[in-house]
Amino acid sequence: MKKRCGVFILFLLIPAVTLGGTLLFPARQYAWISLCVALLSCLPFFLTFERGEGAPARLILLSSLTALSVLGRIVFTPLPGFKPVTATVVLVALTFGGEAGFLTGSLSALISNFWFGQGPWTPFQMFSWGMVGWLAGRLSFPLKKSRILLSLYGAFAGVLYSAVMDVWTVLWADGAFNLSRYGAALLSALSFTALYAVSNVIFLLALGKPVGGILERVKVKCGL
Amino acid sequence: MRGNAGRENAFSRLHPAVLMTFFLSELLLTVFLPHPVLQAEALVGGLLFCLLLWGGEFLRELGFYLPLFVLVALTNPLFSHNGVTPLFFLNGNPVTWEALLYGIFLAVSVTGVLFWCKAYSRVMTSDKFLYLFGKVAPRLSLVLSVALRFLPAYLAQSKRVERAQKGVGLYAGESFTDRIKNRLRVFVAMVSWSTENAMEVSASMKGRGYGKKGRTNFSLFKFTSADGVFLALILSLTALTLCGAAAGMKNFAFYPRVSRVELSPVSFAACLSFGLQSLLPALWEGKERILWKYYVSKI
């Protein structure tokens, strides 16, 4: 049942929204259609989580880790662009799997935006951070083995985040996707993209050993 | 009570389900009915309500929204050259009247949605959100609510850790790398403290029978007759707008030529009902304030 629901959303609802949206709305409200798609793509993960098994210890640990990554975003506010959120999400995913990674990432975006401001960009942030976590969980075997691969993944996650958010910027300001404007947005955000990538690598290298160790220890200690 | 900075407002005392219905309806209609009159109504309604919620503080924030408005309005004609009425040529590209109007339309719609989002985050606090979704998704809302409770506790604890580290001589210098190193030290300490803390919390929950059958919930939200009136109003206005939009409103186009706003009775009714809906929060808030002033004056 839970599998079928996720498949239904991914393969029926999202194409239906995309198609219906483009056909129904003459003014081409791409921004809103993509917003709905971003929201819908988060749903299968939440549904699987809701239906899954799990001791309260796992739930509380997940909320604690989510609060922790939000804390990272708040504590590092004076240093713009330098945020340990992605690194925390990736490390959580390496230890507790992709589902936990997605949840920590997307809920961190949702909760931290209670501080930094909710808006139509929230679902996009939820999706991109969630995806960064989920992918890390999928790739956990090679990523755990090699620090070089882990750094590469951190840089990739920074670029991915920036690229996804720029799609949103263009759609939001234009109402339609304009390739030259997307290029302009990417170019003007280049310094930020580089900062994201570099800071992710730094945080992953600095936090990988200590935080990864702490999480592994908790996992063994509580038998999760 | 009324004079305080952190005061509650009349609108946010409505039942969470009513508030959620209102915001969903208002935002979805604004977003999916691309008609200039409706967008303008949403903008005016949102602006008035935000003014009532924040007062002078919001006026100062307009210094941020106004440049945003102008930026969105002016960038469209610079990038899009559709339309049949060129105003002037820039680098050989026509800047058209239609593209300029469409830019202004986009700006109205963008700022309108931002105003309503701002009002949403003030009115729909996280406890109301959790009250609504606690029954639909209990595990997810447990994680959310616990995380929301942990966050202030962790902020306080991280300050304590920082002070303790200063106490043992781990000062942060002025340089960028020093500041990062210092924060990272605090962060790693917080990771081990918080995971231990989480384990204790979960053990305590298990001890108190979390997840056992027959447990009930308690909340302070009551559905009053005022909520009923408000909900009925919202639903009928939304239905009227939707019917009007489906039956009579022609699609408003900006390219190649700007369409005219039609004056058929159906589209007039849709504009009227959506305008009323957008003004509802401001009217409700205003009514309660006038009543309050009146009662105070009688004391």
Side-chain angles (χ1 to χ4, degrees), chain B residues 13 29 57 120 165 179 214-215 274:
Chain B
R13 273 198 296 274
L29 287 178
E57 201 183 319
Y120 172 89
Q165 293 195 343
R179 275 158 67 198
R215 289 164 57 90
F274 187 69

Side-chain angles (χ1 to χ4, degrees), chain A residues 104-144:
Chain A
T104 317
S106 56
L107 293 187
S108 301
L110 182 67
I111 293 178
S112 61
N113 281 357
F114 281 117
W115 257 256
F116 295 93
Q118 299 282 5
W121 51 84
T122 307
F124 281 82
Q125 275 179 331
M126 285 173 71
F127 181 68
S128 9
W129 265 335
M131 253 359 229
V132 165
W134 184 77
L135 264 179
R138 291 272 122 172
L139 301 169
S140 67
F141 189 63
L143 287 184
K144 264 184 183 171

Side-chain angles (χ1 to χ4, degrees), chain A residues 133-187:
Chain A
W134 184 77
L135 264 179
R138 291 272 122 172
L139 301 169
S140 67
F141 189 63
L143 287 184
K144 264 184 183 171
K145 267 179 144 178
S146 136
R147 279 161 76 88
I148 299 170
L149 281 180
L150 189 63
S151 322
L152 271 178
Y153 183 77
F156 162 76
V159 174
L160 182 79
Y161 179 78
S162 193
V164 171
M165 294 314 282
D166 278 341
V167 171
W168 163 245
T169 315
V170 172
L171 285 175
W172 172 239
D174 256 8
F177 193 75
N178 184 329
L179 205 62
S180 62
R181 248 185 115 162
Y182 182 56
L186 276 183
L187 216 64

Side-chain angles (χ1 to χ4, degrees), chain A:
Chain A
M1 178 58 200
K2 68 182 185 194
K3 272 247 166 81
R4 229 181 292 156
C5 227
V7 169
F8 170 72
I9 290 173
L10 282 182
F11 292 105
L12 275 172
L13 223 53
I14 291 179
V17 165
T18 320
L19 208 72
T22 28
L23 290 179
L24 276 177
F25 303 117
R28 303 266 155 144
Q29 300 286 59
Y30 292 115
W32 306 113
I33 296 163
S34 60
L35 186 73
C36 290
V37 171
L39 264 179
L40 283 175
S41 353
C42 290
L43 262 184
F45 293 95
F46 291 148
L47 277 176
T48 352
F49 176 74
E50 198 53 58
R51 301 250 166 78
E53 302 261 318
R58 194 179 154 82
L59 300 185
I60 299 301
L61 191 66
L62 277 180
S63 24
S64 165
L65 292 167
T66 306
L68 205 63
S69 74
V70 177
L71 176 84
R73 198 176 172 199
I74 295 174
V75 165
F76 280 84
T77 312
L79 314 167
F82 242 81
K83 302 282 179 302
V85 180
T86 309
T88 317
V89 170
V90 169
L91 291 174
V92 169
L94 290 188
T95 319
F96 294 105
E99 195 204 25
F102 187 91
L103 216 74
T104 317
S106 56
L107 293 187
S108 301
L110 182 67
I111 293 178
S112 61
N113 281 357
F114 281 117
W115 257 256
F116 295 93
Q118 299 282 5
W121 51 84
T122 307
F124 281 82
Q125 275 179 331
M126 285 173 71
F127 181 68
S128 9
W129 265 335
M131 253 359 229
V132 165
W134 184 77
L135 264 179
R138 291 272 122 172
L139 301 169
S140 67
F141 189 63
L143 287 184
K144 264 184 183 171
K145 267 179 144 178
S146 136
R147 279 161 76 88
I148 299 170
L149 281 180
L150 189 63
S151 322
L152 271 178
Y153 183 77
F156 162 76
V159 174
L160 182 79
Y161 179 78
S162 193
V164 171
M165 294 314 282
D166 278 341
V167 171
W168 163 245
T169 315
V170 172
L171 285 175
W172 172 239
D174 256 8
F177 193 75
N178 184 329
L179 205 62
S180 62
R181 248 185 115 162
Y182 182 56
L186 276 183
L187 216 64
S188 65
L190 204 61
S191 57
F192 263 97
T193 313
L195 191 59
Y196 288 150
V198 170
S199 65
N200 283 349
V201 173
I202 291 175
F203 278 124
L204 275 173
L205 289 180
L207 293 176
K209 268 247 169 78
V211 173
I214 294 167
L215 295 183
E216 283 293 342
R217 182 181 155 273
V218 169
K219 195 178 168 188
V220 173
K221 182 182 171 189
C222 301
L224 295 166

